[in-house]
Amino acid sequence: GEDVEQSLFLSVREGDSSVINCTYTDSSSTYLYWYKQEPGAGLQLLTYIFSNMDMKQDQRLTVLLNKKDKHLSLRIADTQTGDSAIYFCADYYTGTASKLTFGTGTRLQVTL
Amino acid sequence: DGGITQSPKYLFRKEGQNVTLSCEQNLNHDAMYWYRQDPGQGLRLIYYSQIVNDFQKGDIAEGYSVSREKKESFPLTVTSAQKNPTAFYLCASSGLINYGYTFGSGTRLTVV
């Protein structure tokens, strides 16, 4: 089945850029997503990218997609303490009966 | 405003009891999902339903049961057969898949 992998932890200083990486295995993925989870809360959809795009920018967020390497990244510019959370990538491909496959999540710690 | 509501936020269960977690959505979404999240871990799919009166087992369905009698509602029962039920439970729903899932705010279940 599909596998989505992320590194577990990332620490950055306030004001720096954060880059959270994700790899997936199925080349027929059509949509890829980034979610944010704050402590004790549900997941909030941050952004998504269609597989025919290489990049998508939304304010401080930039998503890069490298289909050849099956690699997705989320860049957060000017990282703030409020960005501290767990970030999940997820993908959808037609073989999964409309189910998303989630990565294990990357915990982002923002230090002063 | 449209959304997905989980209740209660906190739930305590005695050994040997069944408990039911509520999930209601007013987004007119066809599909609904239940996930379990353990500390420091990702999401594991328990059950999902793509249409009323139909549901499928996810990766960790043992010890859980669901029903989907109405489009808006997808309650999860944690039975006494679930040996380690203490966890954070997340419900989600989806309409058009390109918009991903919408998550509830979660229910934290603790066995006392």
Side-chain angles (χ1 to χ4, degrees):
Chain A
E2 171 69 331
D3 194 22
V4 178
E5 294 192 356
Q6 302 177 237
S7 54
L8 291 180
F9 184 77
L10 175 66
S11 181
V12 299
R13 297 181 70 161
E14 188 178 39
D16 289 348
S17 292
S18 307
V19 179
I20 302 170
N21 295 302
C22 173
T23 58
Y24 58 97
T25 56
D26 199 291
S27 58
S28 59
S29 294
T30 53
Y31 291 97
L32 297 114
Y33 307 84
W34 283 105
Y35 284 85
K36 177 183 180 182
Q37 185 183 32
E38 298 186 2
L43 276 68
Q44 171 194 359
L45 179 64
L46 288 177
T47 187
Y48 67 91
I49 188 168
F50 188 50
S51 58
N52 68 352
M53 299 170 65
D54 298 323
M55 185 181 85
K56 182 178 181 181
Q57 188 157 2
D58 184 1
Q59 299 182 336
R60 291 190 299 122
L61 305 179
T62 302
V63 178
L64 296 178
L65 176 60
N66 182 327
K67 287 180 64 179
K68 175 176 172 292
D69 294 336
K70 302 191 189 77
H71 182 266
L72 181 74
S73 68
L74 174 69
R75 178 178 180 269
I76 305 172
D78 187 24
T79 310
Q80 303 297 308
T81 54
D83 295 322
S84 293
I86 301 175
Y87 291 81
F88 291 91
C89 67
D91 81 334
Y92 167 72
Y93 69 105
T94 53
T96 55
S98 298
K99 288 195 280 100
L100 300 189
T101 301
F102 287 87
T104 52
T106 299
R107 181 177 296 276
L108 174 64
Q109 176 181 277
V110 181
T111 60
L112 297 174
Chain B
D1 285 337
I4 182 166
T5 301
Q6 290 186 241
S7 62
K9 189 168 179 64
Y10 300 96
L11 187 57
F12 297 90
R13 190 193 94 168
K14 293 182 180 179
E15 296 277 355
Q17 274 186 339
N18 292 355
V19 290
T20 297
L21 284 60
S22 171
C23 180
E24 303 274 335
Q25 54 99 1
N26 61 1
L27 299 165
N28 200 33
H29 285 171
D30 286 316
M32 297 186 74
Y33 313 82
W34 274 106
Y35 287 89
R36 170 180 172 141
Q37 186 178 30
D38 293 284
Q41 296 194 27
L43 306 176
R44 291 188 289 170
L45 182 64
I46 305 172
Y47 269 99
Y48 65 103
S49 168
Q50 294 180 302
I51 196 168
V52 175
N53 292 322
D54 188 39
F55 49 83
Q56 286 78 41
K57 292 181 179 180
D59 301 317
I60 56 163
E62 186 175 349
Y64 299 98
S65 66
V66 293
S67 63
R68 187 85 188 277
E69 297 176 2
K70 298 186 303 181
K71 188 176 186 178
E72 300 81 14
S73 179
F74 191 41
L76 174 73
T77 297
V78 184
T79 75
S80 57
Q82 171 48 239
K83 298 306 177 189
N84 185 21
T86 294
F88 189 54
Y89 291 87
L90 287 162
C91 180
S93 68
S94 69
L96 293 174
I97 195 60
N98 53 306
Y99 295 117
Y101 292 178
T102 300
F103 280 85
S105 56
T107 293
R108 185 166 300 281
L109 173 63
T110 304
V111 174
V112 296

